[in-house]
């Protein structure tokens, strides 16, 4: 997407102004105003970094569907964690393929952390466009993929992965030689996930006091294959007991992948007032994942019904919603103009019957 604002400075991870417009693959006309304003700055501009950041925010923060003001980078690493187990005093070692996507700038660091969980048998790389988009708005996105061929780990066990992963991230934040040095702020934490990952995100949010908010993307609770029990607790029941609000996105097209009774309405019923629910009317369950062209993705994708719009459209809607909800939580006071623009975008989409949008406990958006 177009983000000419990143041309402004090549210091602390921001780009230097060259009087031209930089456009990545997938440029949208929605950021035309941003480009034209940024391109009038010209070359050779010199401002204190703090003032520059404020300017960048005023230019780009009004359109959450466009890429944010930060250039981004990513770190991929095999991380060995140790999870607590009742039968071992030393815990169980687990190897994870970790991806951290982060703003390539120390100007406004440290940044809130978004722990993003994959769908069942999905890989972190399938959600790269969403991770990139969220990170460009000033968030450190932490993802992981289970190693092995079609690994199956019960919810109870996988819930134990987040704490050691956050410990690893804290170590990176405090290590001067790390690319993540001083970038993540693990005391400002959100969870996000798709499908089963949405359930994991909800369980973490309901059960941890250090998680400030959550974005649940077509989450799936217990099904016939994962009946409620000690290994598979109900996320909806946990949310109901926690009485917490969240941002929820649902697929309007159901299938065996997101069966009625286990899908997004069950979660929305359990969330507290103030929660947002956006249903993408023509989205199928796997259209929230961009995929990686692999045979594994092809097989899982074929199991789930597609709607009448493209996967890119579904992912773009998801990215816009996720940033709006996160900004409303972590940067509410400085994001009022952007949130107002988001509400207008929602009204347009709802009027065209592309989306259904509900704020729980409110008659208006």
């Amino acid at each position: 997407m177009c983000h000419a604002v990143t041309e402004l400075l090549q210091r602390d991870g921001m780009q230097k102004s060259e009087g031209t417009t930089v456009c990545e693959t997938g440029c949208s006309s929605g950021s035309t105003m941003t480009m034209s304003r940024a391109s009038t700055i010209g070359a050779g501009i010199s401002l204190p970094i703090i003032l520059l950041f404020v300017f960048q925010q005023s230019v780009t923060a009004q359109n959450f569907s466009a890429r944010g003001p930060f250039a981004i980078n990513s770190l991929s690493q095999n991380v060995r964690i140790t999870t607590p187990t009742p039968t071992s005093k030393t815990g169980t070692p687990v190897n994870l393929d970790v991806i951290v996507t982060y703003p390539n700038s120390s100007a406004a660091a440290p940044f809130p952390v978004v722990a993003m969980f994959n769908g069942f048998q999905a890989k972190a790389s399938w959600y790269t466009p969403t991770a990139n988009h969220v990170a460009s708005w000033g968030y450190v996105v932490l993802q992981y993929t289970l190693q092995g061929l079609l690994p199956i780990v019960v919810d109870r066990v996988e819930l134990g992965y987040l704490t050691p992963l956050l410990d690893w991230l804290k170590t990176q934040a405090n290590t001067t030689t790390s690319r993540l040095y001083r970038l993540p702020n693990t005391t400002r934490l959100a969870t996000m996930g798709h499908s089963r990952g949405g359930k994991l995100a909800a369980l973490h949010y309901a059960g941890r006091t250090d998680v400030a908010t959550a974005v649940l993307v077509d989450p799936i609770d217990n099904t016939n294959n994962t009946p409620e029990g000690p290994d598979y607790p109900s996320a909806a029941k946990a949310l109901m007991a926690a009485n917490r609000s969240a941002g929820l996105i649902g697929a309007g097209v159901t299938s065996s992948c997101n069966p009625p009774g286990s899908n997004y309405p069950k979660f929305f019923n359990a969330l507290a007032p103030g929660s947002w629910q956006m249903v993408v009317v023509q989205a199928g369950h796997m259209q929230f994942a961009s995929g990686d062209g692999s045979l594994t993705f092809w097989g899982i994708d074929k199991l789930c019904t597609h709607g009448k719009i493209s996967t890119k459209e579904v992912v773009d809607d998801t990215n816009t919603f996720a940033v709006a909800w996160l900004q409303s939580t972590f940067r509410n006071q400085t994001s009022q103009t952007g949130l107002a623009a988001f509400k207008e975008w929602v009204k347009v989409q709802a009027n065209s019957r592309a989306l259904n949008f509900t704020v729980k406990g409110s008659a208006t958006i």
Side-chain angles (χ1 to χ4, degrees):
M1 292 187 178
C2 295
H3 54 108
V5 72
T6 59
E7 301 169 280
L8 292 174
L9 195 67
Q10 183 66 44
R11 197 170 77 195
D12 293 311
M14 297 182 185
Q15 305 295 321
K16 180 180 178 182
S17 173
E18 300 294 346
T20 57
T21 297
V22 173
C23 189
E24 293 184 351
T25 303
C27 255
S28 68
S29 59
S31 53
T32 302
M33 182 179 296
T34 299
M35 291 191 295
S36 63
R37 291 180 64 184
S39 62
T40 61
I41 301 302
I45 192 167
S46 178
L47 290 172
I49 192 67
I50 296 177
L51 293 178
L52 175 63
F53 178 72
V54 172
F55 173 77
Q56 284 184 307
Q57 290 293 87
S58 67
V59 170
T60 61
Q62 313 313 316
N63 183 3
F64 296 148
S65 64
R67 285 286 285 271
F70 292 99
I72 60 169
N73 208 338
S74 64
L75 172 67
S76 298
Q77 186 171 322
N78 179 274
V79 176
R80 188 178 179 87
I81 63 170
T82 301
T83 62
T85 57
T87 57
S88 173
K89 293 182 179 180
T90 58
T92 302
V94 179
N95 292 316
L96 300 173
D97 292 325
V98 173
I99 301 175
V100 183
T101 310
Y102 57 93
N104 194 24
S105 172
S106 60
F111 301 99
V113 173
V114 178
M116 184 183 297
F117 301 93
N118 315 327
F120 179 69
Q121 298 297 332
K123 298 180 182 296
S125 60
W126 297 3
Y127 303 94
T128 296
T130 296
N132 289 349
H133 191 86
V134 171
S136 77
W137 284 93
Y139 297 89
V140 173
V141 181
L142 174 66
Q143 300 172 273
Y144 67 86
T145 299
L146 302 173
Q147 294 185 352
L149 180 63
L150 303 178
I152 296 178
V153 179
V154 299
D155 297 349
R156 173 184 54 80
V157 173
E158 192 164 346
L159 287 169
Y161 292 0
L162 182 57
T163 293
L165 266 180
L166 290 174
D167 290 340
W168 171 83
L169 191 63
K170 291 175 188 176
T171 300
Q172 297 299 307
N174 293 321
T175 303
T176 56
T177 56
S178 172
R179 288 161 55 186
L180 301 174
Y181 180 55
R182 291 184 175 177
L183 293 181
N185 182 355
T186 55
T187 67
R188 305 185 74 200
L189 177 65
T191 56
M192 179 174 177
H194 167 234
S195 191
R196 176 177 178 260
K199 179 187 180 182
L200 292 175
L203 286 168
H204 280 300
Y205 181 44
R208 299 177 63 120
T209 59
D210 59 343
V211 181
T213 194
V215 179
L216 313 178
V217 183
D218 210 30
I220 306 300
D221 206 9
N222 303 101
T223 65
N224 291 334
N225 295 321
T226 56
E228 184 180 352
D231 284 343
Y232 296 101
S234 169
K237 287 184 178 179
L239 287 172
M240 180 75 76
N243 191 34
R244 305 187 77 177
S245 59
L248 175 67
I249 307 169
V253 179
T254 58
S255 67
S256 60
C257 300
N258 56 337
S262 299
N263 60 340
Y264 73 87
K266 185 176 182 180
F267 287 78
F268 196 58
N269 289 338
L271 288 171
S275 298
W276 295 356
Q277 176 182 262
M278 182 180 79
V279 180
V280 186
V281 176
Q282 285 299 329
H285 182 64
M286 280 305 294
Q287 289 185 274
F288 296 98
S290 298
D292 59 359
S294 66
L295 183 61
T296 301
F297 177 77
W298 179 86
I300 295 176
D301 189 44
K302 289 298 180 183
L303 290 174
C304 308
T305 305
H306 274 220
K308 296 180 180 179
I309 60 176
S310 69
T311 293
K312 184 182 183 305
E313 290 175 282
V314 177
V315 171
D316 286 347
D317 288 347
T318 301
N319 296 349
T320 303
F321 178 96
V323 170
W325 179 260
L326 291 169
Q327 294 288 83
S328 73
T329 300
F330 291 107
R331 304 183 180 109
N332 187 271
Q333 290 186 345
T334 58
S335 300
Q336 286 303 304
T337 304
L339 291 169
F342 170 73
K343 291 177 182 179
E344 291 304 313
W345 174 82
V346 166
K347 290 177 183 177
V348 170
Q349 298 299 318
N351 287 339
S352 67
R353 298 184 180 180
L355 304 176
N356 294 325
F357 196 96
T358 307
V359 177
K360 192 166 188 177
S362 175
T364 59
I365 293 177

